[in-house]
Amino acid sequence: MKISCGQAADICNRSQYKESNVWEKLKLRLHLARCRECKKYSSKNAKLTTLCDKAGLCCLSEEDKQGMKQKLDGEA
Ligand SMILES: [Zn+2]
């Protein structure tokens, strides 16, 4: 049932693109409840998603999204 920080980050990334299943999300949520670092990471991801939604950037390429993500990571 326990997952590592790396696995949590992976699920987090994939759920951003709606590629993770319910079971994975549940495990991720359990991990986030205990791990402060991953919680920080996931809220950063949520920030990125909100940003994309606002700007209507759903058509961005993966490359562009990565670029934006790096920008956000730089802020932290
Ligand atoms: Zn963690």
Side-chain angles (χ1 to χ4, degrees):
M1 191 66 197
K2 276 185 187 173
I3 56 172
S4 69
C5 289
Q7 286 172 307
D10 183 55
I11 295 170
C12 197
N13 274 331
R14 283 188 292 123
S15 65
Q16 195 181 336
Y17 302 109
K18 301 187 169 53
E19 285 170 8
S20 64
N21 62 39
V22 174
W23 181 238
E24 284 178 320
K25 280 183 201 163
L26 184 71
K27 284 195 284 190
L28 173 64
R29 213 173 283 188
L30 276 171
H31 184 85
L32 292 181
R34 282 181 315 213
C35 183
R36 193 182 279 190
E37 280 307 305
C38 289
K39 207 171 176 180
K40 240 198 279 180
Y41 181 82
S42 85
S43 70
K44 223 190 288 173
N45 256 357
K47 193 174 160 193
L48 178 73
T49 307
T50 310
L51 218 83
C52 288
D53 285 347
K54 261 192 199 160
L57 300 177
C58 305
C59 305
L60 274 182
S61 68
E62 289 302 303
E63 208 178 347
D64 287 338
K65 280 182 192 169
Q66 279 302 314
M68 282 180 73
K69 192 166 181 289
Q70 271 160 18
K71 233 174 158 182
L72 285 171
D73 283 344
E75 275 177 26

